[in-house]
Amino acid sequence: MAEAKLFILHQGALGDVVLTFPAIIALRKEFDTIDILCQGQIGKLAVKLGLIDKKYPLEAAYLATLFSDQVDTKIKDLISSYTKTLVFSFSSDLENTINQISDRPCLRIPPRPPAPDSIHVAEYVIQHLISGGLLKATDLENAESDRQKKQARKDHPIDISKIIIHPGSGSIRKRWPLANFLNLADDLEKKGWQPQFVCGPAEPDLIAEIRNQKTPVHAFSELTDLVDWLETAGGYIGNDSGVSHLAAFLGLPSVVIFGPADPLRWKPLGPGVEIVRPELDCNPCFEIEPENCTEPACLTDATLESVLTAFDQVFKG
């Protein structure tokens, strides 16, 4: 029987791709090989976690021609070598291009549901995979236990008292004030925990400000380095961000502070995740408005006490 091979194309950021991981684990029931074309660092991460067999970086010149009028022969031959292609994109033009260069079936899924729909992104993806014929409902039966096996942290000693704090996000609009995170770290330390700040290469402003407060911060440049750092910790606290999605997927007890985005659609998935977001009359606006309101109560009304309460709940659980 011929090997079943799936080629995935995803142009999204870290959080978007991490939310497809449960579906990818389920897809292992149907495919012998699963490879991905995505941002280079995310591809390395997926391979490191054992979810993907091979990664192709979007940044590679010949791969980038897939989004041009002149598609390189190499990418044509590459896609044609797979049994099926799965594309996460809003672009029907991209789907048409792939269908023109390969006679193998291509399924295109929008990377997220329409903004008004209160359905989680991961569930939305799985529904499309089932209706598109790439998954069977029975493939999901053991997917949760398989996901927990992928999350098992065996390669690093875990310091249960070490709590990773990530005050950044892919969008400044989602950031809880840094002063609150600094106060949070002080309170945790007084209670015997060991809070440690972590920031990525796109957050130099936060790194500088944290260090100005004489507080150490681990600055990671590679997502694979971040995974090694997270896997040594006992818990995690952060904003609605790709790092929070990764921490939850790795199985860390996690507290995630949501602001203008909708946790019904974007809650990180993991065995122990608590969401902090004030009860408000207004609807989440991140996907329908270009900027936050002048005084975003969704962030300013999230109190230090509410985060500490969520932290206690996730660890008691």
Side-chain angles (χ1 to χ4, degrees):
M1 188 174 182
E3 181 183 23
K5 298 175 61 180
L6 177 65
F7 181 80
I8 298 175
L9 191 160
H10 204 312
Q11 298 170 263
L14 176 61
D16 303 290
V17 179
V18 171
L19 284 180
T20 69
F21 285 175
I24 290 173
I25 291 171
L27 284 165
R28 284 288 179 185
K29 307 293 183 183
E30 301 293 332
F31 294 93
D32 304 298
T33 297
I34 301 179
D35 298 337
I36 192 168
L37 170 60
C38 63
Q39 293 181 30
Q41 283 211 29
I42 299 175
K44 290 180 183 178
L45 167 70
V47 171
K48 179 182 177 69
L49 294 177
L51 301 167
I52 294 295
D53 297 295
K54 187 174 182 179
K55 48 83 180 174
Y56 298 93
L58 276 170
E59 300 86 348
Y62 83 95
L63 293 169
T65 66
L66 184 60
F67 308 93
S68 70
D69 294 332
Q70 298 293 325
V71 180
D72 191 293
T73 304
K74 291 180 183 178
I75 189 68
K76 293 180 180 178
D77 293 341
L78 176 66
I79 291 178
S80 295
S81 69
Y82 288 84
T83 311
K84 293 186 178 179
T85 301
L86 171 61
V87 177
F88 290 95
S89 176
F90 291 110
S91 173
S92 57
D93 290 340
L94 177 58
E95 179 184 10
N96 292 335
T97 297
I98 292 174
N99 284 330
Q100 289 170 8
I101 65 177
S102 173
D103 59 358
R104 304 300 177 91
C106 171
L107 173 64
R108 179 176 65 87
I109 300 176
R112 58 184 177 275
D117 294 356
S118 294
I119 179 174
H120 196 277
V121 174
E123 178 62 27
Y124 175 80
V125 167
I126 286 173
Q127 287 183 6
H128 275 265
L129 289 171
I130 292 174
S131 63
L134 263 66
L135 272 183
K136 302 183 183 73
T138 53
D139 293 329
L140 303 173
E141 292 176 359
N142 298 316
E144 183 61 25
S145 61
D146 290 343
R147 182 161 79 105
Q148 291 173 357
K149 290 176 185 176
K150 294 293 183 184
Q151 291 169 338
R153 296 177 285 158
K154 301 175 182 177
D155 298 333
H156 304 274
I158 298 172
D159 182 352
I160 195 67
S161 67
K162 177 179 170 181
I163 306 300
I164 300 296
I165 297 178
H166 177 235
S169 179
S171 170
I172 295 177
R173 293 178 60 189
K174 298 179 181 180
R175 288 184 184 177
W176 197 46
L178 178 59
N180 291 353
F181 279 110
L182 292 167
N183 291 333
L184 171 66
D186 287 341
D187 281 9
L188 290 174
E189 194 166 5
K190 290 174 184 176
K191 294 180 179 182
W193 300 96
Q194 297 179 37
Q196 298 190 20
F197 282 88
V198 63
C199 288
E203 299 157 346
D205 58 322
L206 291 177
I207 294 172
E209 195 169 348
I210 294 168
R211 287 176 175 165
N212 283 342
Q213 300 298 318
K214 310 302 181 185
T215 300
V217 56
H218 175 72
F220 68 90
S221 58
E222 296 281 340
L223 289 175
T224 49
D225 170 40
L226 174 62
V227 168
D228 291 339
W229 189 257
L230 289 170
E231 287 185 328
T232 64
Y236 171 89
I237 303 173
N239 295 309
D240 168 24
S241 70
V243 176
S244 295
H245 284 288
L246 179 58
F249 180 80
L250 291 173
L252 275 76
S254 300
V255 175
V256 184
I257 303 159
F258 267 74
D262 188 350
L264 290 175
R265 290 163 57 85
W266 294 102
K267 177 183 177 180
L269 300 178
V273 179
E274 285 290 329
I275 300 298
V276 174
R277 190 178 190 274
E279 292 290 336
L280 301 169
D281 293 332
C282 58
N283 294 320
C285 67
F286 184 76
E287 296 179 78
I288 58 175
E289 298 292 342
E291 58 186 26
N292 291 353
C293 51
T294 306
E295 296 182 7
C298 57
L299 289 170
T300 59
D301 288 3
T303 65
L304 177 59
E305 290 73 21
S306 64
V307 175
L308 287 169
T309 297
F311 177 81
D312 289 340
Q313 289 174 343
V314 80
F315 270 86
K316 287 177 183 176

